[in-house]
Amino acid sequence: MIATETITDEILRQTALRGPEKSICPSEVARALAPEEDAWRRLMGPIRAAAIRLARAGRIEVLRKGKPVGTDTAIRGVIRLRAAANPPAVPGAETDDTA
């Protein structure tokens, strides 16, 4: 099985490449990590779970029918993922411009 961190990194990579104006399908993440049909399909549950965690952290948005959905209840059906317009700062990613 593919590590949760690997899934999270791929979601963030793909959503960052598209930017906050466009979204990705979770299956794009799955296919990037495991191109074989039966393998990528098995990743869909873990990818949805990772996407919800990232959305709760404010790093991405989960969309249904083009609109952001809350992550406090179960998210059912077809979803897409989009980079958050104003994501929170990631610890350790700060730059020191005082030098």
Side-chain angles (χ1 to χ4, degrees):
M1 186 50 99
I2 294 175
T4 301
E5 183 176 299
T6 302
I7 292 170
T8 298
D9 290 347
E10 185 63 18
I11 291 170
L12 292 172
R13 185 188 74 76
Q14 286 193 27
T15 55
L17 285 173
R18 295 278 170 93
E21 302 84 30
K22 296 186 179 183
S23 62
I24 64 166
C25 180
S27 67
E28 293 176 63
V29 176
R31 287 182 175 108
L33 296 172
E36 304 81 29
E37 176 102 15
D38 59 328
W40 73 257
R41 288 188 182 277
R42 286 193 304 267
L43 287 177
M44 292 303 291
I47 288 169
R48 284 177 73 98
I52 291 167
R53 283 191 300 276
L54 287 167
R56 285 181 178 149
R59 310 238 354 243
I60 68 167
E61 292 180 307
V62 176
L63 309 172
R64 278 206 21 94
K65 299 182 181 180
K67 296 185 171 121
V69 296
T71 56
D72 51 343
T73 60
I75 299 173
R76 299 176 189 253
V78 177
I79 63 170
R80 292 190 63 86
L81 311 175
R82 171 172 72 188
N86 296 307
V90 178
E94 301 87 14
T95 58
D96 184 10
D97 293 332
T98 60

